[in-house]
Amino acid sequence: MVIDTEDAAGTALLLAAAPVGKGRLIDAVGVLPALAAVPPGALTGTAAATLVELADPLDPQAVLTRLRAAVAAPGPLSLYIAGQLHLDHRQRLPHLALARTSPATLRYTALPWHWIAGELKLRRPGTTTVVLDLVADDPTWQQLATDRGLLALCHGVRVYGRVVPPPGRRTIASPDYLKACAAIWRSGARPPLAALHEQAAAQAGAQSGTHATLVFAAGFPPAPVPSARQESATDRPAADTDPLPSILAAAASGRHGEAAAAAAAWEQHAHRTYGSGSPQAVHWLEVRADLARLAGDPAASCRLWMVAAEARLARQQTRDDRQVEGAVDRAHHQWERLRDPDTARALAPALIALRRRVPGRQRGALQVLQRRLERWHDAGEGVMR
């Protein structure tokens, strides 16, 4: 698990809850022995950690008190939640059912999801991870299908896990996702949380054969993932949890700010997980550059492509490497699209210096760039042509 302060002691809060009796949809507490057998430091990604368990708590106020204490603790916080979700009838807000929860008493005996979100806002960004294994009742599942932000938490909180629809009649779901996480940790493996998430989600889907799942990855709106039983040759490839398709879809529908924020968050995650100069970090940098192009911001796109080219050169990729040349060519192309003279002049020196290092396969690209800039200065043009 990735954290920001590796030497600080962490806190892991395990919350497993579901109604007692016929309203129970999931054996939430069944995962606690598996998680409790994991070294606490594995749960938080720290050398030392405090472990707090809440098994089928009765009172939402008591849960809130324990949550507040965990939020106030120094060091990284990891919150693990297994349980079931319901909507209250009045405001249609999601609640986590507790042991005494029933449809008639939901607003008084369940934990409102926005209580969790509100407490986590007090945490320093980047120090909190939430891992979910949840079942939604039918109304909540239908709401999630149209409102992917229904379970949104605050900015800076990493969210991993899954939500599944209600099981069949007289069937109790199992928190297989969290059980898979625990099994991986108990084997002695300590993969980065993103890799752990992918492994656990795949194993849980194969075990339960769930027909539909919402998978969370690093805090973005959950993406629907078909189960292994549903997939065919016409389904999308194996990387079901790859966030890029949903990010590009957001950009294509005009939600450029949302797409850019998601890509930037994934880039930061790659920095923390794999290193600043890693291929993964450079990949997301280039995604951001292309999203800027799609948003009609050639200045930002040009800057980002230049940074990407420099990052690849710093990785000892050669100046005639196709990826390096491609980044410089794209930066050059975006500079050509600029219409603001001050911005173009400001970006030109860095682009010229980069072109000198990476001439590219288009003959005379550097000379064309220099001549265009010189003509512009000589003519005193107010706009680029």
Side-chain angles (χ1 to χ4, degrees):
M1 183 177 297
V2 178
I3 60 169
D4 294 298
T5 313
E6 294 184 356
D7 294 332
T11 300
L13 175 59
L14 314 183
L15 171 56
V20 175
K22 64 180 182 179
R24 175 165 292 196
L25 301 177
I26 183 173
D27 177 25
V29 296
V31 75
L32 289 181
L35 287 174
V38 175
L43 297 172
T44 59
T46 56
T50 298
L51 179 62
V52 179
E53 287 189 19
L54 297 178
D56 273 340
L58 302 175
D59 179 21
Q61 289 291 342
V63 176
L64 181 62
T65 298
R66 302 299 292 271
L67 177 60
R68 284 177 173 169
V71 165
L77 170 64
S78 296
L79 175 60
Y80 294 84
I81 304 177
Q84 59 191 67
L85 296 170
H86 302 267
L87 297 178
D88 73 276
H89 296 299
R90 180 178 296 180
Q91 296 179 297
R92 307 293 292 174
L93 295 176
H95 288 62
L96 182 72
L98 301 181
R100 294 189 302 181
T101 299
S102 68
T105 65
L106 179 73
R107 296 184 64 240
Y108 311 102
T109 60
L111 181 70
W113 192 259
H114 62 268
W115 284 12
I116 300 174
E119 293 304 316
L120 296 183
K121 285 182 181 179
L122 303 177
R123 297 279 305 175
R124 182 165 59 88
T127 64
T128 307
T129 301
V130 177
V131 184
L132 307 172
D133 199 343
L134 302 171
V135 174
D137 71 353
D138 279 321
T140 310
W141 182 255
Q142 296 301 323
Q143 185 81 5
L144 280 168
T146 58
D147 182 6
R148 297 288 170 76
L150 187 67
L151 301 181
L153 297 175
C154 56
H155 174 71
V157 174
R158 295 180 289 268
V159 184
Y160 293 89
R162 69 170 190 170
V163 182
V164 299
R169 292 185 62 186
R170 299 180 181 178
T171 303
I172 302 295
S174 173
D176 292 325
Y177 172 83
L178 279 176
K179 287 182 177 179
C181 290
I184 293 168
W185 278 322
R186 291 201 310 273
S187 74
R190 298 293 183 267
L193 193 52
L196 175 77
H197 165 76
E198 292 183 4
Q199 296 174 38
Q203 292 180 25
Q207 290 166 4
S208 63
T210 302
H211 293 296
T213 307
L214 294 177
V215 175
F216 292 79
F220 307 117
V225 178
S227 71
R229 294 184 183 182
Q230 289 179 296
E231 291 193 276
S232 67
T234 60
D235 288 326
R236 59 180 178 175
D240 286 319
T241 57
D242 179 5
L244 186 55
S246 62
I247 291 173
L248 294 177
S253 64
R255 304 195 314 274
H256 297 292
E258 175 187 328
W266 273 102
E267 183 189 358
Q268 290 303 310
H269 174 74
H271 279 290
R272 293 190 298 265
T273 306
Y274 305 105
S276 297
S278 64
Q280 294 87 346
V282 176
H283 162 73
W284 284 106
L285 178 61
E286 293 181 339
V287 169
R288 290 177 57 211
D290 206 42
L291 289 174
R293 175 189 66 82
L294 293 172
D297 189 349
S301 185
C302 177
R303 291 189 191 97
L304 289 166
W305 279 118
M306 286 196 290
V307 173
E310 295 285 0
R312 291 194 176 280
L313 289 168
R315 286 180 48 80
Q316 307 303 313
Q317 290 181 246
T318 61
R319 66 178 190 171
D320 60 349
D321 184 289
R322 289 280 189 178
Q323 292 176 316
V324 175
E325 289 182 337
V328 178
D329 288 344
R330 290 178 177 89
H332 191 161
H333 178 70
Q334 291 301 302
W335 185 85
E336 294 278 351
R337 294 172 59 85
L338 290 171
R339 295 296 178 265
D340 177 65
D342 293 333
T343 302
R345 290 191 187 101
L347 290 174
L351 182 58
I352 289 172
L354 195 54
R355 265 296 183 209
R356 287 180 176 142
R357 296 172 64 190
V358 185
R361 296 172 190 256
Q362 182 179 347
R363 181 174 296 181
L366 174 60
Q367 289 74 23
V368 170
L369 191 161
Q370 291 174 316
R371 284 198 300 270
R372 186 164 190 237
L373 187 61
E374 289 167 2
R375 287 198 306 271
W376 190 34
H377 278 295
D378 292 342
E381 294 177 335
V383 294
M384 297 291 288
R385 292 197 295 264

